[in-house]
Amino acid sequence: MRLRFLAATASLLVARAAGAAPELAFLHVEANAGGSSGGHVALRVGDATWHYQNQAGLLLLVREDSRRFVHDTALIENRPIHVLRVGVSAEAERRVRERFQARLGAQQSQLDALAALRAERELLALLARRAAGSPLRPGEGIAVAGAGYFAAPGWPFEPDPALARLRARVARERGESFLARRADALRRELQALAPSPGAAPALPRLDADVALPASDGFGARAADLAAGIEALRVLAQARPLQPDAIWSGGDAAPALDADAVRALRAFRERLADTLPALLDATRPDWGTALLVGMARLAALDASLREGRLRVLDAYPERAARLDSARLRREPGLLPALLVDARARVDRELAAFAAREPGARQAAWSDLEDSANRHRELARAAATGSALRVQPERLVPLRAAPFAELAAPPAAAGSLAAALERTAAGEGQLERELGRVHGYELVTHNCVSELFATLSAAFAGDPILEGEALGGLVDGRQGLEFIPFAAAASVSRHWRLVGRETIPSLRQARVAAMREREGELAVALREASPLTARAGADGARESFFLFYTDDAVWPRPLFGALNLGAAAGETALGLVAAPFDRGRTLLRGLEGALMSLPELAFVNLRKGSYDWVPESARREIGVAP
Amino acid sequence: MVRRESRLRVAGTLALAALVAGLAACSISYSSQSLSKSISSPFKSSSGSSSGESDSAYLDEVRSYAAGFGASGGDATAFRRGIGSIAERRGIHDWEDDDATCQAVGQGLKRAGLTQDAAAALLGELFAGRKDRAAVAMKGFDAGE
């Protein structure tokens, strides 16, 4: 019976069938420890799920793949999701989708503007020091993305064969001296470049829905010129890749079959044809594009020479690492992950081979990402060392410093003034971002902003919004700022065409066990993480004795026992604090905090998982 | 009396839950930053689909950006830098050579309500010197979304 209930949810998570009536789905995610402990809300539109997250004090819009959202939420975080579906017109669905997308773009442009001001301020500070007579320290300069893959100047090297061919082609088509002349012109331009005198243009009052234009100021132009000069230098010298730029470990990388060889060869030729066009490009950032393109070209060439897939190491220099001790605690994990990752690389390689030539950059990027994750797992498994990790897409942008930065003493005054202006502009933008996007528990949280964006999709016209959704929910009335209260309002006011609950992984597993083994035995065994077989005992969970999410009447008693266990962990943490930097102490305190509501019949903590394979989606009734 | 006690209990429960919730409301869960999310490709939605949602999210972003530019105008260099930045996050180093990106730019201009002549003129400016790529973008404009 329960399994049938679970299977019924499957249809919720697959893409809407072509021709099906358009709909929006309001998602209420139940509370759990670790984050969003008051629950969370999101809006599913087609295959995208939109939600606002508090990231270091800023409430930022996030777009996620709907399956990924369910995987992270219902499986890893072990939180049930209540789905409230409302039928809408195609026009209403389009309005909502485009409004959320525009909001995301505006938000990104504002964060990019802040990053550009920061980079400009750092460059100006460096130039001001140079003008005052300080020499550059090692590693200082403009960070040129893509340049870090190539052999550094000052070391002997053999020219890279693919880049040597590219250089010969450019020389044939544009003349032998083209690269040198172009580089000289860029150097002159860089030397003449100076910050604009006078006051910086005033920052407009920020609006969350209005994009800022991409920066074209002093810092951005200096970085463009530096990247151009560096790209021309690499090409002129046909500099080879650094030994660690591509993985040559021997050898877990997939061997290339005939289809893959054909596809890689075609992509290599396409790059060789199109990269020279970047030398005339009107886009200001052509230098970085050329550097990354040349590094990819060299990696492709190496793959074809060696008959195995070689991709650029795309992990950022300061990638987070999972320490090896933690990996050793779960000895079965890395082998399982490796199998999963290898299958993914094979799929991506096949997908790359099947793509049209004009679509292969994106497919190569997918393949790069998967191959990087696979090889990193293989390396960590083989050496027992820490594992580099990155939640975002891995893009090869390894930087090297560009140090040809002259700042004559005469420029000291103007540089100091420009530095002051840029720092002031950065501070102003930071304050504006805080004003517009700043998180507040009651008035500006994941609920209020989701409904505000939804209203904006209908131009703030309540009649239009009411007609589209069946009714109005403001997200700021009464207790609506709390996710479950907002969900109750949606239930009351919107024109729902269906409602379902996607169970958490532990709920689904316990339900399946009950069917197989009987109620009582499973209920007793699964009540505690100490005896449970359904898991949800993530490594970072605080210590607790009983699950209380499915135990209503014993909840205060279990809560008291959990509070006692948390007190014990806290006491242990006090003793261990000098040795573990207070980690155990903090976990104990968090455990106590999560246990308190249980005394009043309120459950927040549900346990979580460290890793769940995609195949586990079947357990909650979702196709992997 | 019973009803009043019940109300008080509900209010107390909500206050307690709100207190605890307030400490980490709407924040990123630590488990979402843990092993599973960190080691697997973030854009994979299923074992069967390669990069469907990834491309959908990326192309939506390009369309939206181009639509904003088409509607409000602005500096062509800033536009190229903006698209370059979006493409870079997607792992596309040369967006002018990516058919889907070019077509999405055209679709964005259509969404902005530009006439065919206005779109052709603007695309000619944005893809200055690369008529073949402007033509690919124009195909996106003609096809719409």
Side-chain angles (χ1 to χ4, degrees), chain A residues 247 249 251-257 260 264 303 306-311 341-347 349 367 370-371 374-375:
Chain A
W247 198 43
D251 199 311
L256 302 176
D257 63 16
L264 261 70
S303 303
E306 298 171 28
R308 284 189 181 276
L309 182 66
R310 304 293 184 215
V311 294
R342 176 53 193 262
R344 184 164 288 179
V345 174
D346 290 341
R347 282 200 303 274
L349 186 55
L367 181 55
S370 300
H374 171 245
R375 76 182 196 181

PDB file of all heavy atoms in Angstrom, chain A residues 247 249 251-257 260 264 303 306-311 341-347 349 367 370-371 374-375:
ATOM      1  N   TRP A 247      45.848  15.353 -16.754  1.00  0.00           N
ATOM      2  CA  TRP A 247      46.147  14.186 -15.941  1.00  0.00           C
ATOM      3  C   TRP A 247      46.793  13.133 -16.818  1.00  0.00           C
ATOM      4  O   TRP A 247      46.255  12.739 -17.834  1.00  0.00           O
ATOM      5  CB  TRP A 247      44.857  13.650 -15.350  1.00  0.00           C
ATOM      6  CG  TRP A 247      45.055  12.752 -14.204  1.00  0.00           C
ATOM      7  CD1 TRP A 247      45.918  12.921 -13.163  1.00  0.00           C
ATOM      8  CD2 TRP A 247      44.350  11.552 -13.958  1.00  0.00           C
ATOM      9  NE1 TRP A 247      45.786  11.904 -12.280  1.00  0.00           N
ATOM     10  CE2 TRP A 247      44.837  11.055 -12.745  1.00  0.00           C
ATOM     11  CE3 TRP A 247      43.356  10.858 -14.633  1.00  0.00           C
ATOM     12  CZ2 TRP A 247      44.359   9.876 -12.191  1.00  0.00           C
ATOM     13  CZ3 TRP A 247      42.888   9.698 -14.083  1.00  0.00           C
ATOM     14  CH2 TRP A 247      43.384   9.207 -12.882  1.00  0.00           C
ATOM     15  N   GLY A 249      48.106  10.300 -15.279  1.00  0.00           N
ATOM     16  CA  GLY A 249      48.246   9.106 -14.413  1.00  0.00           C
ATOM     17  C   GLY A 249      47.944   7.873 -15.204  1.00  0.00           C
ATOM     18  O   GLY A 249      47.193   7.875 -16.147  1.00  0.00           O
ATOM     19  N   ASP A 251      46.550   3.957 -15.790  1.00  0.00           N
ATOM     20  CA  ASP A 251      45.808   5.023 -16.383  1.00  0.00           C
ATOM     21  C   ASP A 251      44.328   4.659 -16.325  1.00  0.00           C
ATOM     22  O   ASP A 251      43.888   3.700 -16.944  1.00  0.00           O
ATOM     23  CB  ASP A 251      46.246   5.226 -17.831  1.00  0.00           C
ATOM     24  CG  ASP A 251      45.820   6.581 -18.294  1.00  0.00           C
ATOM     25  OD1 ASP A 251      44.681   6.909 -18.089  1.00  0.00           O
ATOM     26  OD2 ASP A 251      46.667   7.296 -18.812  1.00  0.00           O
ATOM     27  N   ALA A 252      43.619   5.471 -15.527  1.00  0.00           N
ATOM     28  CA  ALA A 252      42.189   5.225 -15.373  1.00  0.00           C
ATOM     29  C   ALA A 252      41.383   5.999 -16.406  1.00  0.00           C
ATOM     30  O   ALA A 252      40.165   5.855 -16.469  1.00  0.00           O
ATOM     31  CB  ALA A 252      41.752   5.643 -13.977  1.00  0.00           C
ATOM     32  N   ALA A 253      42.045   6.848 -17.196  1.00  0.00           N
ATOM     33  CA  ALA A 253      41.311   7.623 -18.197  1.00  0.00           C
ATOM     34  C   ALA A 253      40.789   6.691 -19.286  1.00  0.00           C
ATOM     35  O   ALA A 253      41.476   5.756 -19.687  1.00  0.00           O
ATOM     36  CB  ALA A 253      42.225   8.674 -18.811  1.00  0.00           C
ATOM     37  N   PRO A 254      39.576   6.950 -19.772  1.00  0.00           N
ATOM     38  CA  PRO A 254      38.988   6.054 -20.778  1.00  0.00           C
ATOM     39  C   PRO A 254      39.803   6.022 -22.075  1.00  0.00           C
ATOM     40  O   PRO A 254      40.277   7.071 -22.531  1.00  0.00           O
ATOM     41  CB  PRO A 254      37.614   6.651 -21.043  1.00  0.00           C
ATOM     42  CG  PRO A 254      37.384   7.651 -19.994  1.00  0.00           C
ATOM     43  CD  PRO A 254      38.689   8.058 -19.422  1.00  0.00           C
ATOM     44  N   ALA A 255      39.952   4.834 -22.629  1.00  0.00           N
ATOM     45  CA  ALA A 255      40.573   4.719 -23.951  1.00  0.00           C
ATOM     46  C   ALA A 255      39.556   5.222 -24.984  1.00  0.00           C
ATOM     47  O   ALA A 255      38.344   5.115 -24.779  1.00  0.00           O
ATOM     48  CB  ALA A 255      40.938   3.271 -24.218  1.00  0.00           C
ATOM     49  N   LEU A 256      40.047   5.779 -26.086  1.00  0.00           N
ATOM     50  CA  LEU A 256      39.154   6.343 -27.104  1.00  0.00           C
ATOM     51  C   LEU A 256      38.832   5.286 -28.153  1.00  0.00           C
ATOM     52  O   LEU A 256      39.746   4.706 -28.751  1.00  0.00           O
ATOM     53  CB  LEU A 256      39.833   7.539 -27.772  1.00  0.00           C
ATOM     54  CG  LEU A 256      40.255   8.682 -26.839  1.00  0.00           C
ATOM     55  CD1 LEU A 256      41.000   9.764 -27.628  1.00  0.00           C
ATOM     56  CD2 LEU A 256      39.050   9.290 -26.133  1.00  0.00           C
ATOM     57  N   ASP A 257      37.539   5.054 -28.385  1.00  0.00           N
ATOM     58  CA  ASP A 257      37.177   4.139 -29.467  1.00  0.00           C
ATOM     59  C   ASP A 257      37.123   4.930 -30.787  1.00  0.00           C
ATOM     60  O   ASP A 257      37.382   6.146 -30.811  1.00  0.00           O
ATOM     61  CB  ASP A 257      35.848   3.427 -29.156  1.00  0.00           C
ATOM     62  CG  ASP A 257      34.683   4.398 -29.051  1.00  0.00           C
ATOM     63  OD1 ASP A 257      34.832   5.550 -29.511  1.00  0.00           O
ATOM     64  OD2 ASP A 257      33.630   4.011 -28.511  1.00  0.00           O
ATOM     65  N   ALA A 260      34.913   8.023 -30.802  1.00  0.00           N
ATOM     66  CA  ALA A 260      35.473   9.108 -29.985  1.00  0.00           C
ATOM     67  C   ALA A 260      36.650   9.759 -30.709  1.00  0.00           C
ATOM     68  O   ALA A 260      36.776  10.990 -30.712  1.00  0.00           O
ATOM     69  CB  ALA A 260      35.907   8.572 -28.627  1.00  0.00           C
ATOM     70  N   LEU A 264      36.799  13.657 -31.536  1.00  0.00           N
ATOM     71  CA  LEU A 264      37.868  14.512 -30.993  1.00  0.00           C
ATOM     72  C   LEU A 264      38.669  15.164 -32.118  1.00  0.00           C
ATOM     73  O   LEU A 264      39.048  16.335 -32.033  1.00  0.00           O
ATOM     74  CB  LEU A 264      38.812  13.688 -30.096  1.00  0.00           C
ATOM     75  CG  LEU A 264      38.557  13.795 -28.583  1.00  0.00           C
ATOM     76  CD1 LEU A 264      37.255  13.092 -28.205  1.00  0.00           C
ATOM     77  CD2 LEU A 264      39.711  13.203 -27.772  1.00  0.00           C
ATOM     78  N   SER A 303      45.229  13.851 -26.210  1.00  0.00           N
ATOM     79  CA  SER A 303      44.305  12.703 -26.167  1.00  0.00           C
ATOM     80  C   SER A 303      44.467  11.846 -27.419  1.00  0.00           C
ATOM     81  O   SER A 303      44.534  10.616 -27.343  1.00  0.00           O
ATOM     82  CB  SER A 303      42.851  13.183 -26.087  1.00  0.00           C
ATOM     83  OG  SER A 303      42.656  14.002 -24.979  1.00  0.00           O
ATOM     84  N   GLU A 306      47.752   9.927 -27.515  1.00  0.00           N
ATOM     85  CA  GLU A 306      47.894   8.850 -26.532  1.00  0.00           C
ATOM     86  C   GLU A 306      46.743   7.855 -26.571  1.00  0.00           C
ATOM     87  O   GLU A 306      46.802   6.819 -25.906  1.00  0.00           O
ATOM     88  CB  GLU A 306      48.027   9.451 -25.130  1.00  0.00           C
ATOM     89  CG  GLU A 306      49.272  10.330 -24.998  1.00  0.00           C
ATOM     90  CD  GLU A 306      49.302  11.116 -23.691  1.00  0.00           C
ATOM     91  OE1 GLU A 306      48.724  10.642 -22.697  1.00  0.00           O
ATOM     92  OE2 GLU A 306      49.895  12.196 -23.674  1.00  0.00           O
ATOM     93  N   GLY A 307      45.691   8.178 -27.310  1.00  0.00           N
ATOM     94  CA  GLY A 307      44.568   7.243 -27.421  1.00  0.00           C
ATOM     95  C   GLY A 307      43.723   7.169 -26.161  1.00  0.00           C
ATOM     96  O   GLY A 307      42.902   6.265 -25.996  1.00  0.00           O
ATOM     97  N   ARG A 308      43.928   8.111 -25.263  1.00  0.00           N
ATOM     98  CA  ARG A 308      43.127   8.174 -24.032  1.00  0.00           C
ATOM     99  C   ARG A 308      42.643   9.591 -23.791  1.00  0.00           C
ATOM    100  O   ARG A 308      43.289  10.553 -24.237  1.00  0.00           O
ATOM    101  CB  ARG A 308      43.963   7.724 -22.819  1.00  0.00           C
ATOM    102  CG  ARG A 308      44.155   6.242 -22.758  1.00  0.00           C
ATOM    103  CD  ARG A 308      44.795   5.815 -21.456  1.00  0.00           C
ATOM    104  NE  ARG A 308      44.982   4.375 -21.458  1.00  0.00           N
ATOM    105  CZ  ARG A 308      44.047   3.497 -21.118  1.00  0.00           C
ATOM    106  NH1 ARG A 308      42.859   3.919 -20.717  1.00  0.00           N
ATOM    107  NH2 ARG A 308      44.293   2.211 -21.163  1.00  0.00           N
ATOM    108  N   LEU A 309      41.523   9.698 -23.083  1.00  0.00           N
ATOM    109  CA  LEU A 309      40.940  11.013 -22.851  1.00  0.00           C
ATOM    110  C   LEU A 309      41.819  11.829 -21.904  1.00  0.00           C
ATOM    111  O   LEU A 309      42.092  11.408 -20.776  1.00  0.00           O
ATOM    112  CB  LEU A 309      39.539  10.864 -22.244  1.00  0.00           C
ATOM    113  CG  LEU A 309      38.784  12.152 -21.988  1.00  0.00           C
ATOM    114  CD1 LEU A 309      38.462  12.857 -23.295  1.00  0.00           C
ATOM    115  CD2 LEU A 309      37.511  11.889 -21.203  1.00  0.00           C
ATOM    116  N   ARG A 310      42.251  12.992 -22.356  1.00  0.00           N
ATOM    117  CA  ARG A 310      43.031  13.913 -21.523  1.00  0.00           C
ATOM    118  C   ARG A 310      42.267  15.226 -21.444  1.00  0.00           C
ATOM    119  O   ARG A 310      41.995  15.841 -22.489  1.00  0.00           O
ATOM    120  CB  ARG A 310      44.401  14.183 -22.141  1.00  0.00           C
ATOM    121  CG  ARG A 310      45.230  12.949 -22.411  1.00  0.00           C
ATOM    122  CD  ARG A 310      45.639  12.302 -21.130  1.00  0.00           C
ATOM    123  NE  ARG A 310      46.515  11.170 -21.362  1.00  0.00           N
ATOM    124  CZ  ARG A 310      46.492  10.073 -20.609  1.00  0.00           C
ATOM    125  NH1 ARG A 310      45.633   9.951 -19.608  1.00  0.00           N
ATOM    126  NH2 ARG A 310      47.317   9.095 -20.853  1.00  0.00           N
ATOM    127  N   VAL A 311      41.961  15.644 -20.250  1.00  0.00           N
ATOM    128  CA  VAL A 311      41.264  16.935 -20.118  1.00  0.00           C
ATOM    129  C   VAL A 311      42.050  17.822 -19.167  1.00  0.00           C
ATOM    130  O   VAL A 311      42.856  17.337 -18.364  1.00  0.00           O
ATOM    131  CB  VAL A 311      39.820  16.768 -19.578  1.00  0.00           C
ATOM    132  CG1 VAL A 311      38.947  16.022 -20.568  1.00  0.00           C
ATOM    133  CG2 VAL A 311      39.824  16.087 -18.224  1.00  0.00           C
ATOM    134  N   ALA A 341      31.076   7.448 -11.222  1.00  0.00           N
ATOM    135  CA  ALA A 341      31.729   8.527 -11.971  1.00  0.00           C
ATOM    136  C   ALA A 341      32.242   8.020 -13.325  1.00  0.00           C
ATOM    137  O   ALA A 341      32.160   8.727 -14.328  1.00  0.00           O
ATOM    138  CB  ALA A 341      32.875   9.108 -11.154  1.00  0.00           C
ATOM    139  N   ARG A 342      32.756   6.805 -13.341  1.00  0.00           N
ATOM    140  CA  ARG A 342      33.275   6.268 -14.596  1.00  0.00           C
ATOM    141  C   ARG A 342      32.149   6.058 -15.618  1.00  0.00           C
ATOM    142  O   ARG A 342      32.284   6.370 -16.802  1.00  0.00           O
ATOM    143  CB  ARG A 342      34.016   4.952 -14.328  1.00  0.00           C
ATOM    144  CG  ARG A 342      34.516   4.252 -15.581  1.00  0.00           C
ATOM    145  CD  ARG A 342      35.362   5.234 -16.429  1.00  0.00           C
ATOM    146  NE  ARG A 342      35.600   4.716 -17.743  1.00  0.00           N
ATOM    147  CZ  ARG A 342      36.716   4.089 -18.107  1.00  0.00           C
ATOM    148  NH1 ARG A 342      37.699   3.929 -17.233  1.00  0.00           N
ATOM    149  NH2 ARG A 342      36.863   3.653 -19.327  1.00  0.00           N
ATOM    150  N   ALA A 343      31.017   5.562 -15.111  1.00  0.00           N
ATOM    151  CA  ALA A 343      29.878   5.378 -16.014  1.00  0.00           C
ATOM    152  C   ALA A 343      29.453   6.719 -16.599  1.00  0.00           C
ATOM    153  O   ALA A 343      29.077   6.822 -17.776  1.00  0.00           O
ATOM    154  CB  ALA A 343      28.718   4.734 -15.251  1.00  0.00           C
ATOM    155  N   ARG A 344      29.542   7.746 -15.793  1.00  0.00           N
ATOM    156  CA  ARG A 344      29.148   9.075 -16.258  1.00  0.00           C
ATOM    157  C   ARG A 344      30.111   9.584 -17.335  1.00  0.00           C
ATOM    158  O   ARG A 344      29.693  10.187 -18.327  1.00  0.00           O
ATOM    159  CB  ARG A 344      29.115  10.025 -15.060  1.00  0.00           C
ATOM    160  CG  ARG A 344      28.649  11.385 -15.377  1.00  0.00           C
ATOM    161  CD  ARG A 344      28.272  12.132 -14.151  1.00  0.00           C
ATOM    162  NE  ARG A 344      27.023  11.629 -13.593  1.00  0.00           N
ATOM    163  CZ  ARG A 344      26.467  12.084 -12.497  1.00  0.00           C
ATOM    164  NH1 ARG A 344      27.051  13.028 -11.832  1.00  0.00           N
ATOM    165  NH2 ARG A 344      25.336  11.594 -12.065  1.00  0.00           N
ATOM    166  N   VAL A 345      31.400   9.356 -17.133  1.00  0.00           N
ATOM    167  CA  VAL A 345      32.381   9.804 -18.135  1.00  0.00           C
ATOM    168  C   VAL A 345      32.098   9.099 -19.467  1.00  0.00           C
ATOM    169  O   VAL A 345      32.112   9.728 -20.535  1.00  0.00           O
ATOM    170  CB  VAL A 345      33.828   9.502 -17.675  1.00  0.00           C
ATOM    171  CG1 VAL A 345      34.819   9.841 -18.779  1.00  0.00           C
ATOM    172  CG2 VAL A 345      34.161  10.301 -16.423  1.00  0.00           C
ATOM    173  N   ASP A 346      31.824   7.800 -19.397  1.00  0.00           N
ATOM    174  CA  ASP A 346      31.536   7.061 -20.631  1.00  0.00           C
ATOM    175  C   ASP A 346      30.307   7.626 -21.334  1.00  0.00           C
ATOM    176  O   ASP A 346      30.275   7.762 -22.559  1.00  0.00           O
ATOM    177  CB  ASP A 346      31.346   5.571 -20.323  1.00  0.00           C
ATOM    178  CG  ASP A 346      32.661   4.910 -19.918  1.00  0.00           C
ATOM    179  OD1 ASP A 346      33.730   5.486 -20.230  1.00  0.00           O
ATOM    180  OD2 ASP A 346      32.626   3.835 -19.285  1.00  0.00           O
ATOM    181  N   ARG A 347      29.291   7.964 -20.555  1.00  0.00           N
ATOM    182  CA  ARG A 347      28.071   8.547 -21.142  1.00  0.00           C
ATOM    183  C   ARG A 347      28.374   9.900 -21.786  1.00  0.00           C
ATOM    184  O   ARG A 347      27.903  10.207 -22.875  1.00  0.00           O
ATOM    185  CB  ARG A 347      27.000   8.742 -20.063  1.00  0.00           C
ATOM    186  CG  ARG A 347      26.258   7.492 -19.674  1.00  0.00           C
ATOM    187  CD  ARG A 347      24.935   7.851 -18.995  1.00  0.00           C
ATOM    188  NE  ARG A 347      25.070   8.699 -17.838  1.00  0.00           N
ATOM    189  CZ  ARG A 347      25.305   8.273 -16.598  1.00  0.00           C
ATOM    190  NH1 ARG A 347      25.437   6.976 -16.359  1.00  0.00           N
ATOM    191  NH2 ARG A 347      25.388   9.107 -15.586  1.00  0.00           N
ATOM    192  N   LEU A 349      31.209  10.976 -22.897  1.00  0.00           N
ATOM    193  CA  LEU A 349      32.058  10.815 -24.079  1.00  0.00           C
ATOM    194  C   LEU A 349      31.201  10.422 -25.283  1.00  0.00           C
ATOM    195  O   LEU A 349      31.371  10.960 -26.384  1.00  0.00           O
ATOM    196  CB  LEU A 349      33.131   9.753 -23.796  1.00  0.00           C
ATOM    197  CG  LEU A 349      34.197   9.537 -24.870  1.00  0.00           C
ATOM    198  CD1 LEU A 349      34.900  10.843 -25.227  1.00  0.00           C
ATOM    199  CD2 LEU A 349      35.235   8.507 -24.408  1.00  0.00           C
ATOM    200  N   LEU A 367      31.970  16.915 -20.562  1.00  0.00           N
ATOM    201  CA  LEU A 367      32.912  15.795 -20.472  1.00  0.00           C
ATOM    202  C   LEU A 367      34.086  16.158 -19.557  1.00  0.00           C
ATOM    203  O   LEU A 367      34.528  15.353 -18.729  1.00  0.00           O
ATOM    204  CB  LEU A 367      33.402  15.453 -21.887  1.00  0.00           C
ATOM    205  CG  LEU A 367      34.372  14.294 -22.048  1.00  0.00           C
ATOM    206  CD1 LEU A 367      33.819  13.011 -21.449  1.00  0.00           C
ATOM    207  CD2 LEU A 367      34.678  14.065 -23.537  1.00  0.00           C
ATOM    208  N   SER A 370      32.935  15.875 -15.884  1.00  0.00           N
ATOM    209  CA  SER A 370      32.799  14.486 -15.420  1.00  0.00           C
ATOM    210  C   SER A 370      34.163  13.813 -15.306  1.00  0.00           C
ATOM    211  O   SER A 370      34.423  13.093 -14.340  1.00  0.00           O
ATOM    212  CB  SER A 370      31.926  13.679 -16.390  1.00  0.00           C
ATOM    213  OG  SER A 370      30.665  14.244 -16.462  1.00  0.00           O
ATOM    214  N   ALA A 371      35.031  14.042 -16.298  1.00  0.00           N
ATOM    215  CA  ALA A 371      36.339  13.391 -16.287  1.00  0.00           C
ATOM    216  C   ALA A 371      37.197  13.906 -15.140  1.00  0.00           C
ATOM    217  O   ALA A 371      37.942  13.149 -14.510  1.00  0.00           O
ATOM    218  CB  ALA A 371      37.049  13.617 -17.622  1.00  0.00           C
ATOM    219  N   HIS A 374      35.952  12.209 -11.992  1.00  0.00           N
ATOM    220  CA  HIS A 374      36.346  10.802 -11.999  1.00  0.00           C
ATOM    221  C   HIS A 374      37.818  10.644 -11.653  1.00  0.00           C
ATOM    222  O   HIS A 374      38.208   9.852 -10.816  1.00  0.00           O
ATOM    223  CB  HIS A 374      36.049  10.192 -13.378  1.00  0.00           C
ATOM    224  CG  HIS A 374      36.606   8.819 -13.535  1.00  0.00           C
ATOM    225  ND1 HIS A 374      37.607   8.531 -14.439  1.00  0.00           N
ATOM    226  CD2 HIS A 374      36.342   7.654 -12.890  1.00  0.00           C
ATOM    227  CE1 HIS A 374      37.916   7.245 -14.351  1.00  0.00           C
ATOM    228  NE2 HIS A 374      37.162   6.698 -13.420  1.00  0.00           N
ATOM    229  N   ARG A 375      38.653  11.450 -12.303  1.00  0.00           N
ATOM    230  CA  ARG A 375      40.090  11.271 -12.084  1.00  0.00           C
ATOM    231  C   ARG A 375      40.481  11.688 -10.675  1.00  0.00           C
ATOM    232  O   ARG A 375      41.404  11.141 -10.087  1.00  0.00           O
ATOM    233  CB  ARG A 375      40.897  12.039 -13.122  1.00  0.00           C
ATOM    234  CG  ARG A 375      40.943  13.523 -12.889  1.00  0.00           C
ATOM    235  CD  ARG A 375      41.713  14.223 -13.978  1.00  0.00           C
ATOM    236  NE  ARG A 375      42.066  15.561 -13.549  1.00  0.00           N
ATOM    237  CZ  ARG A 375      42.724  16.426 -14.290  1.00  0.00           C
ATOM    238  NH1 ARG A 375      43.086  16.097 -15.497  1.00  0.00           N
ATOM    239  NH2 ARG A 375      43.022  17.602 -13.845  1.00  0.00           N
TER     240      ARG A 375
END
